[in-house]
Amino acid sequence: MPGTTLSPWTMSYFAAACIFLVVGQGAMVAGYGYPFAAVEAPGTLAVVHVVAIGWLGLLMAGALLQFVPVLVAAPLRGGRLAPPALALLIPGLLLLVGGFAALGGAEGVSPAMLPSGALLLAMGFGLVIIMLATTLLMVRPLPLPARFVAVGLGALIAAVLAGAAFTLVLSGTVTNYAAIALLLNGVPLHAALGLGGWLTFTAIGVSYRLLPMFMLAPDDTRATSRAVWWTGAAALAIVVASIVSIAVDSDGMEGARSVATFLAVSAAVLYSADVLRLFHERRRKIVELNIRASYAAFAALFASVVMFALPITRAAAGERAAALVYLFVFGWLTGLGLAQLYKIIPFLTWLECYGPVLGRSAVPRVQDLVEEKRASIWFFVYYSAVIAATLSLFAESPAAFRVATLAQLCATVGLMVELVRARMLSYVAAPLRLPAGAPRPHLFLPISRPQE
């Protein structure tokens, strides 16, 4: 991977993210949140934020600390901010969840925890944005994948600010009309910025760099790729303008939201065409499991976005199109995240452990750190469970949903065990496992001082 340097705290972000994913899925299995409660119920909001911020947000932040320097071929700026950022994000999320629990009637917690959590989250994500934005600002002109990341960071800022405003209203700290109107009408826009802007738009940009690398496909910028950026960025700009219009009590942007939906669907279709082109033009005919497991994630993105644009499927998907949101979050974002973790963690472990002795000792291949046959079974179970859970939401069957999410949780834990085994070098043949001078990697902490 050209330009690769190790981000020492990326593995810590990944470990925390995986814990929150298990917690979020465990809560659904236990009956917390939708469909066992209303979409706007405090329990649902708690589970949604555990998954969106705890799992997906930390996963993306940790991945970008590693990959933004690769995208721009420049070192990460301010890398020492990574541990304090993580130290702010985790308690911030716990305070936020505690505040939602208080709204649900739990004892020992207070709604005042909501704005406190939002403040810590804003500070934590602010440090992440400082690191990534200052790194991007050092490069001119920005490569196309990096421009996706830049827009994604803008969406993150808008999503955090809107979310912080919501917490002020929910906690009773602010009671003015504009803030209340923003809470009543702006939640879908806040979700669009977080899931569509920050997480999806950024993931698309990074994939434009990583997919050609993993598949040995042409790494050129096509007109369709530029069109994905323009249409997606325009859709997100309309979403931001809509939030502002709600805050200033204007209805001037209501008609524009259908334009944003059209642009988002167009971006998803064009991106799907680019993914198919990369697959057909690849020189590596037999791709690794992380790419094969990503195919289902791409299909989930296409299906969920297109079905959301169709009134008949959107209406059939339950409260606020819950079934389609579930497919988007767990089929597309989580599926892609797990698939790429299956490549990223062994690769970073290989660099960390064997990089210091390359050329001086025999070392294993990256593929020797994993057992694809075993992991492919877990990926099959995971995606099958996501499909079953989505269908159960369409069928309004909470019992079937609980069984499907239990299977999904089991598959997730199985994949995480595989990642831990890769991290512990469990699959590496004993004679090659730790040659002289090769440091044994810690499970989730860096083994050396952070690189600046």
Side-chain angles (χ1 to χ4, degrees):
M1 188 178 292
T4 295
T5 57
L6 275 177
S7 169
W9 294 99
T10 285
M11 209 61 68
S12 304
Y13 278 72
F14 287 169
C18 288
I19 291 172
F20 280 115
L21 176 58
V22 170
V23 170
Q25 291 183 328
M28 290 189 292
V29 173
Y32 286 95
Y34 188 86
F36 309 99
V39 164
E40 67 275 11
T44 302
L45 297 177
V47 173
V48 165
H49 285 83
V50 165
V51 174
I53 297 176
W55 156 238
L56 295 171
L58 293 182
L59 173 68
M60 182 61 75
L64 290 180
L65 293 178
Q66 179 64 46
F67 289 120
V68 163
V70 176
L71 297 181
V72 298
L76 179 69
R77 309 288 293 186
R80 288 178 179 169
L81 298 178
L86 184 60
L88 289 167
L89 289 170
I90 292 176
L93 176 57
L94 295 179
L95 283 171
L96 196 70
V97 172
F100 287 131
L103 295 179
E107 296 182 356
V109 287
S110 165
M113 296 169 73
L114 285 168
S116 301
L119 177 61
L120 293 186
L121 288 171
M123 294 170 64
F125 279 124
L127 294 181
V128 172
I129 291 168
I130 288 173
M131 287 184 282
L132 299 176
T134 53
T135 303
L136 294 175
L137 287 172
M138 296 300 295
V139 179
R140 287 291 182 276
L142 272 182
L144 182 64
R147 281 188 273 151
F148 278 87
V149 176
V151 172
L153 293 179
L156 172 61
I157 293 172
V160 169
L161 292 177
F166 297 162
T167 64
L168 292 174
V169 178
L170 290 171
S171 63
T173 307
V174 171
T175 57
N176 69 63
Y177 174 80
I180 294 173
L182 187 61
L183 175 65
L184 294 176
N185 302 302
V187 171
L189 302 174
H190 167 66
L193 287 172
L195 299 177
W198 155 233
L199 295 168
T200 293
F201 209 63
T202 305
I204 288 175
V206 175
S207 73
Y208 272 129
R209 182 74 178 92
L210 295 188
L211 288 180
M213 191 183 303
F214 292 153
M215 294 194 290
L216 298 181
D219 190 11
D220 51 351
T221 300
R222 300 288 186 94
T224 50
S225 309
R226 287 191 289 269
V228 172
W229 187 86
W230 279 107
T231 52
L236 291 169
I238 292 174
V239 172
V240 173
S242 298
I243 290 180
V244 174
S245 72
I246 294 172
V248 299
D249 193 23
S250 169
D251 57 1
M253 294 299 297
E254 288 188 1
R257 293 174 201 170
S258 58
V259 177
T261 301
F262 172 77
L263 291 172
V265 173
S266 300
V269 172
L270 290 169
Y271 176 62
S272 300
D274 275 344
V275 171
L276 287 175
R277 174 184 61 79
L278 290 171
F279 176 76
H280 287 302
E281 295 180 357
R282 75 192 191 283
R283 292 193 294 275
R284 177 175 287 169
K285 295 306 175 186
I286 301 177
V287 295
E288 297 171 5
L289 180 57
N290 67 302
I291 295 297
R292 300 200 303 275
S294 298
Y295 295 160
F298 297 133
L301 169 65
F302 180 82
S304 56
V305 172
V306 171
M307 285 196 291
F308 185 84
L310 301 175
I312 187 170
T313 48
R314 187 170 65 243
E319 292 182 61
R320 297 188 178 183
L324 297 178
V325 173
Y326 189 91
L327 180 62
F328 188 86
V329 169
F330 289 101
W332 156 237
L333 288 171
T334 300
L336 183 70
L338 289 172
Q340 295 313 312
L341 276 184
Y342 191 72
K343 177 68 177 182
I344 295 169
I345 288 181
F347 180 73
L348 296 183
T349 302
W350 184 88
L351 274 181
E352 190 177 13
C353 183
Y354 301 113
V357 298
L358 278 179
R360 294 189 286 116
S361 301
V363 300
R365 303 170 304 154
V366 176
Q367 281 304 97
D368 294 330
L369 273 64
V370 296
E371 174 54 71
E372 287 198 354
K373 184 176 295 184
R374 189 199 302 260
S376 63
I377 297 173
W378 290 122
F379 275 114
F380 176 79
V381 174
Y382 175 83
Y383 282 115
S384 299
V386 169
I387 293 171
T390 302
L391 293 176
S392 71
L393 291 176
F394 272 110
E396 299 181 355
S397 174
F401 179 79
R402 177 171 287 181
V403 173
T405 51
L406 176 60
Q408 187 178 317
L409 175 61
C410 292
T412 301
V413 173
L415 286 170
M416 289 178 183
V417 170
E418 292 301 303
L419 296 177
V420 169
R421 290 177 69 84
R423 189 72 182 152
M424 302 305 291
L425 311 175
S426 301
Y427 290 122
V428 180
L432 292 177
R433 187 169 299 156
L434 279 175
R440 178 183 289 277
H442 300 310
L443 186 56
F444 61 88
L445 292 174
I447 59 176
S448 58
R449 291 176 61 84
Q451 299 172 12
E452 191 58 48

